[in-house]
Amino acid sequence: MRIRTVATTAVAVGTLAALSAGPAQATEYSSALKIKGIQYDAPGRDSNSCSTGNTDEEYLTIKNYSSSATVNLKGYLVKDKTGNRFTFTANHYLQPGDYVKLRGGNGTDSDTHNVVYRDNCNFLWNNDKDSIYLYKPSGAGADSHSYTKSGNDGDGNGYITYHN
């Protein structure tokens, strides 16, 4: 994966336009990028303090499942059901088979560690249930998934894998 300056935004918005995915079922889209998994319940007591909090332990993994195409994440949008959002606003390339972890909190985006930080210390994912949507720069759906803690997380570790 090659990273070229990544600038990010994360803001809360009102109601999300209707895109529906039932619990524990992914909606299939024609896209190389898929939501691979999520750590929605950061270990420890939730604290969104920028200096001492644990929002960086909450993350979404996005993987390029193409066998030949490199995908530029610039313009891709991640939203949850309540409208929390994150947009990749600069070039960020995922080569075939590569992945990126989109983490909360502040940090340094790293090619070596396949990580991009939202530069926002507020939690994005609900600990009990949520729906996650990945949109292409065109606005078309790339992938989506809904989860419930009781329905998808039998071992209680807060990480769900959707695709292999």
Side-chain angles (χ1 to χ4, degrees):
M1 174 173 66
R2 289 178 228 124
I3 296 178
R4 295 189 181 134
T5 309
V6 176
T8 59
T9 60
V11 294
V13 295
T15 307
L16 173 64
L19 249 185
S20 176
Q25 295 177 335
T27 302
E28 291 302 318
Y29 294 99
S30 175
S31 174
L33 291 186
K34 300 284 183 192
I35 298 167
K36 179 170 173 45
I38 182 171
Q39 173 69 47
Y40 59 84
D41 189 0
R45 185 175 162 267
D46 286 352
S47 169
N48 60 3
S49 165
C50 284
S51 59
T52 61
N54 61 339
T55 56
D56 63 336
E57 294 299 320
E58 179 183 87
Y59 59 86
L60 177 72
T61 304
I62 300 169
K63 183 174 179 179
N64 180 357
Y65 284 89
S66 171
S67 60
S68 59
T70 297
V71 178
N72 184 357
L73 290 175
K74 183 177 182 175
Y76 273 80
L77 172 67
V78 176
K79 286 187 182 180
D80 75 350
K81 190 168 188 119
T82 61
N84 294 309
R85 60 192 299 150
F86 172 87
T87 302
F88 292 91
T89 59
N91 293 324
H92 184 94
Y93 296 91
L94 287 181
Q95 296 174 0
D98 209 354
Y99 68 92
V100 65
K101 285 186 178 179
L102 175 58
R103 289 189 178 273
N106 296 312
T108 303
D109 298 339
S110 172
D111 199 16
T112 304
H113 299 290
N114 290 2
V115 65
V116 170
Y117 288 87
R118 292 189 300 112
D119 293 328
N120 184 313
C121 298
N122 293 321
F123 287 96
L124 188 58
W125 317 118
N126 295 327
N127 288 350
D128 60 344
K129 63 182 176 181
D130 212 335
S131 295
I132 303 164
Y133 308 95
L134 177 63
Y135 294 97
K136 297 177 182 181
S138 67
D143 198 16
S144 70
H145 199 85
S146 295
Y147 67 86
T148 62
K149 189 169 191 167
S150 61
N152 301 77
D153 191 21
D155 62 5
N157 71 1
Y159 189 83
I160 300 169
T161 299
Y162 304 131
H163 303 278
N164 292 324

